[in-house]
């Protein structure tokens, strides 16, 4: 008989939207936790109305993005603004071990669903709130999006070239970093609860998560009063260090040379061109001083090969190199296919069969798997409210007719 998944028996009420909260609960669900996603047609999760859509038709159940973040979850609809909505939410919290929400700080309190209120119906509840800058402090109540958080955390300042404006990152980067820490915090709270019988509140700041990934820049200022800025693809310790154009349309390979042995090997791979023997490139300091010229000369060589050929040639001799991959490259990547990173999920009621990502780790005894597709809006209302929460048929129908489940 196969081993149980590691988080079987853990029950999660998920009131979060977009990426941070849903990706957190996806990791929990894929490892066996029973997760109920709560949403409303009056306040749709924005991922439901984000491209791409099946056949180009805009509809909450036709976005490909939503089910990829919600595999192995049940889905219910509940209007928290309805007078009866918060009381039903509390019944769901009473069932759960963990409650997760990602509203602007203050929203749950105004609806009577903050930690202090939920504790009254479930004293040992674990509750996690994720927001841009935490729940308290001068800016705690500021609403925001991932792109803003990137700027506040400093990423935008460092992204781009020294002689140009900041370009930012075309993704809500911290939205994909924060779930790793959210999961750790939840598991720590579960362990604490098992030892003490007590729950607790977790206040996750996405801004503070972002700062962890700029630690060296912060250390440089705190220790040396040096304010770093944009430097393109350049490095303070490696040269050459750039993405070099290769044969084909918009094909590139990133290369990093960090010491004299790698430089010698690098030159041998390129056929020891005459310029590699020039004094202006003889030491790391000289190469750094003449870096722009060096980059042009290197690219003159890489243009004769495909990006894959450059990567293999460099890696085979111990020089760090990697193809700059497109979304097509990632989808067909043989290593990811080997690890079954995108298994075929059970058919979605509207979208049919599609591939959804697994967590990026493999547990040897209890590997994660996708057991259910992401839910349609309100797909499991009757099952969750009647069978799980114990609503009578009369109560369920009455609330349904009153519009509570919209």
């Amino acid at each position: 008989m196969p081993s149980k998944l590691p988080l079987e028996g853990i029950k999660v009420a998920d009131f979060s939207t977009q990426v941070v909260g849903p990706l957190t609960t996806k990791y929990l669900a894929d490892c066996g936790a029973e997760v109920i996603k709560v949403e409303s047609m009056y306040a749709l999760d924005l991922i439901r109305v984000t491209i791409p859509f099946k056949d180009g038709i805009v509809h909450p159940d036709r976005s490909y993005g939503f089910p990829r973040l919600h595999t192995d979850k049940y889905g219910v609809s509940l209007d928290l603004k309805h007078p009866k909505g918060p009381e039903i939410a509390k019944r769901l919290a009473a069932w759960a071990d963990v409650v997760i929400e990602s509203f602007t700080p203050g929203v749950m309190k105004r609806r009577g669903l903050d930690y202090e209120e939920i504790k009254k119906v479930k004293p040992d509840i674990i509750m996690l709130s994720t927001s841009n800058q935490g729940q308290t402090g001068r800016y705690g109540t500021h609403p925001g999006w991932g792109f803003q958080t990137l700027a506040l955390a400093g990423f935008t300042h460092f992204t781009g070239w020294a002689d140009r404006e900041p370009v930012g990152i075309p993704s809500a980067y911290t939205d994909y970093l924060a779930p790793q820490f959210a999961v750790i915090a939840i598991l720590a709270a579960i362990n604490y609860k098992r030892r003490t019988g007590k729950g607790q509140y977790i206040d996750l700041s996405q801004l503070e998560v972002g700062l962890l990934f700029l630690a060296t820049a912060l250390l440089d200022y705190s220790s040396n009063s040096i304010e770093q800025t944009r430097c393109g693809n350049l490095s303070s310790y490696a040269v050459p260090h750039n993405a070099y154009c290769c044969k084909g349309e918009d094909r590139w390979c990133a290369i990093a040379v960090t010491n004299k042995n790698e430089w010698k090997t690098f030159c041998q791979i390129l056929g020891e061109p005459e310029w590699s023997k020039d004094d202006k490139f003889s030491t790391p300091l000289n190469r750094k001083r003449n870096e722009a010229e060096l980059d042009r000369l290197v690219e003159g060589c890489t243009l004769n090969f495909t990006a894959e050929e450059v990567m293999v040639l460099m890696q085979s001799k111990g020089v760090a190199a990697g193809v700059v991959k497109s979304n097509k490259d990632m989808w067909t990547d043989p290593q990811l296919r080997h690890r079954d990173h995108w298994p075929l999920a059970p058919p979605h009621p509207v979208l049919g069969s599609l591939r959804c990502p697994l967590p990026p780790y493999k547990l040897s005894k209890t590997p994660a798997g996708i057991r259910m597709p992401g839910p349609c809006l309100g797909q499991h209302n009757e099952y969750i409210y009647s069978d799980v929460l114990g609503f009578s048929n009369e109560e369920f129908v009455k609330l349904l007719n009153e519009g509570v489940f919209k």
Side-chain angles (χ1 to χ4, degrees):
M1 181 178 293
S3 301
K4 288 185 176 181
L5 289 171
L7 296 182
E8 280 189 30
I10 300 297
K11 297 177 288 186
V12 182
D14 181 6
F15 293 89
S16 67
T17 64
Q18 298 178 57
V19 177
V20 177
L23 187 53
T24 298
T25 56
K26 171 181 164 53
Y27 289 145
L28 299 177
D30 287 344
C31 287
E34 186 174 2
V35 177
I36 298 176
K37 162 77 172 179
V38 184
E39 51 186 332
S40 168
M41 64 178 294
Y42 295 124
L44 282 174
D45 189 317
L46 286 183
I47 304 300
R48 282 200 180 275
V49 288
T50 300
I51 58 172
F53 295 96
K54 180 177 174 63
D55 302 323
I57 300 172
V58 179
H59 186 277
D61 291 330
R62 299 180 74 89
S63 169
Y64 284 109
F66 185 86
R68 288 169 60 84
L69 289 169
H70 293 85
T71 51
D72 297 320
K73 303 179 191 178
Y74 295 102
V76 300
S77 53
L78 176 63
D79 182 7
L80 294 178
K81 294 183 180 179
H82 190 284
K84 296 183 179 180
E87 288 306 312
I88 296 172
K90 288 180 181 178
R91 291 175 68 170
L92 185 58
W95 162 86
D97 298 299
V98 181
V99 170
I100 297 179
E101 64 92 9
S102 62
F103 294 106
T104 300
V107 169
M108 290 294 271
K109 185 173 184 177
R110 289 195 296 274
R111 293 174 182 170
L113 294 172
D114 60 310
Y115 176 61
E116 295 303 321
E117 289 299 315
I118 289 180
K119 241 191 348 179
K120 294 176 182 177
V121 299
K122 187 67 177 292
D124 63 349
I125 195 70
I126 295 166
M127 183 172 181
L128 180 141
S129 296
T130 173
S131 62
N132 273 27
Q133 300 183 67
Q135 299 292 309
T136 60
R138 183 175 182 178
Y139 303 115
T141 58
H142 281 200
W145 303 92
F147 193 67
Q148 293 168 282
T149 309
L150 287 174
L152 291 171
F155 287 96
T156 306
H157 175 74
F158 291 102
T159 308
W161 283 260
D163 59 344
R164 306 182 202 177
E165 298 175 352
V167 297
I169 300 173
S171 171
Y173 188 48
T174 55
D175 282 24
Y176 296 90
L177 299 176
Q180 329 302 325
F181 296 88
V183 170
I184 291 170
I186 289 168
L187 295 180
I190 289 172
N191 182 56
Y192 176 79
K193 178 179 174 179
R194 285 175 174 167
R195 290 186 289 109
T196 68
K198 298 177 181 179
Q200 59 183 302
Y201 182 64
I202 304 168
D203 176 6
L204 178 67
S205 164
Q206 295 166 39
L207 169 65
E208 293 169 36
V209 168
L211 294 179
L212 295 172
F213 292 81
L214 293 173
T216 55
L218 294 169
L219 181 62
D220 203 11
Y221 182 78
S222 64
S223 301
N224 304 318
S225 298
I226 293 176
E227 188 173 359
Q228 295 183 10
T229 187
R230 296 174 292 286
C231 60
N233 292 329
L234 305 183
S235 167
S236 61
Y237 60 88
V239 57
H241 185 282
N242 213 326
Y244 299 96
C245 193
C246 301
K247 185 186 295 185
E249 184 177 354
D250 197 25
R251 301 299 291 172
W252 304 76
C253 184
I255 303 172
V257 176
T258 61
N259 57 56
K260 65 178 182 180
N261 290 331
E262 288 182 6
W263 169 250
K264 182 179 179 180
T265 302
F266 174 76
C267 294
Q268 290 172 349
I269 294 170
L270 296 183
E272 297 188 340
E274 281 301 313
W275 55 259
S276 68
K277 303 167 188 174
D278 195 309
D279 284 345
K280 68 175 69 175
F281 305 129
S282 61
T283 67
L285 183 58
N286 287 348
R287 290 195 290 275
K288 177 59 72 173
R289 287 171 176 164
N290 299 284
E291 193 162 15
E293 181 182 357
L294 177 59
D295 280 343
R296 289 193 296 272
L297 292 168
V298 171
E299 194 160 88
C301 296
T302 59
L303 280 168
N304 297 313
F305 302 90
T306 66
E308 289 77 11
E309 288 171 338
V310 173
M311 178 181 72
V312 171
L313 283 169
M314 295 292 167
Q315 288 186 357
S316 66
K317 300 297 183 180
V319 177
V323 173
V324 178
K325 293 191 175 184
S326 67
N327 54 342
K328 177 184 176 182
D329 294 327
M330 297 306 301
W331 190 248
T332 58
D333 184 272
Q335 178 66 11
L336 293 175
R337 292 285 181 174
H338 167 75
R339 288 176 60 82
D340 197 24
H341 181 67
W342 286 297
L344 196 63
H348 185 274
V350 175
L351 302 173
S353 296
L354 68 158
R355 295 187 178 276
C356 296
L358 283 174
Y361 47 79
K362 308 291 183 185
L363 278 68
S364 62
K365 299 296 184 182
T366 54
I370 297 178
R371 304 172 303 285
M372 296 193 303
C376 292
L377 181 61
Q379 179 179 342
H380 301 108
N381 278 0
E382 186 173 359
Y383 168 69
I384 294 299
Y385 289 124
S386 298
D387 294 5
V388 175
L389 298 186
F391 287 39
S392 67
N393 289 338
E394 294 76 12
E395 185 180 16
F396 176 76
V397 171
K398 182 175 183 295
L399 292 169
L400 181 65
N401 290 334
E402 290 176 358
V404 184
F405 302 139
K406 288 187 177 180

